Amino acid sequence: MKKEIEYLKREIALMKVLILDLMPHKEEDWLDSADVKQLFNFSESKLYRLRKANAIPHTKIGGRYHYPKAFFNQYLLNKIEE
């Protein structure tokens, strides 16, 4: 019984490695409010209105808002394709 358990543990560890290899290893970059305001020439009130309307994804960490860079990259790509 002990050998079977050890065998299963090894198989599970191997499966974990294979699954992790299949998953994309992409760390998400985040922008803070100052970055977004500078890049898009937004005022503080414009950024507030977009957050309040849930027009842009955001999270608040330590009293500061952060925005996923991938959202803005995709938005700009969509604008270029239009």
Side-chain angles (χ1 to χ4, degrees):
M1 180 77 165
K2 190 172 184 178
K3 284 185 180 183
E4 289 87 5
I5 292 173
E6 290 302 316
Y7 173 77
L8 289 174
K9 285 182 180 179
R10 284 194 307 273
E11 288 297 311
I12 290 171
L14 179 61
M15 287 174 47
K16 284 182 183 178
V17 169
L18 293 173
I19 290 171
L20 289 174
D21 283 343
L22 293 173
M23 294 175 63
H25 296 296
K26 182 178 163 186
E27 287 188 26
E28 185 155 11
D29 292 329
W30 292 81
L31 302 171
D32 64 7
S33 294
D35 294 331
V36 174
K37 289 189 295 187
Q38 182 180 9
L39 287 171
F40 296 99
N41 199 23
F42 287 169
S43 66
E44 185 66 39
S45 60
K46 167 86 174 181
L47 199 52
Y48 170 77
R49 286 192 308 273
L50 291 171
R51 279 195 313 264
K52 189 168 175 94
N54 287 321
I56 56 174
H58 61 279
T59 187
K60 189 173 184 180
I61 302 171
R64 295 180 66 186
Y65 287 99
H66 299 273
Y67 312 87
K69 187 175 182 180
F71 171 80
F72 294 103
N73 290 341
Q74 188 61 47
Y75 175 79
L76 291 174
L77 286 174
N78 290 343
K79 280 296 198 185
I80 290 171
E81 291 174 357
E82 290 180 355

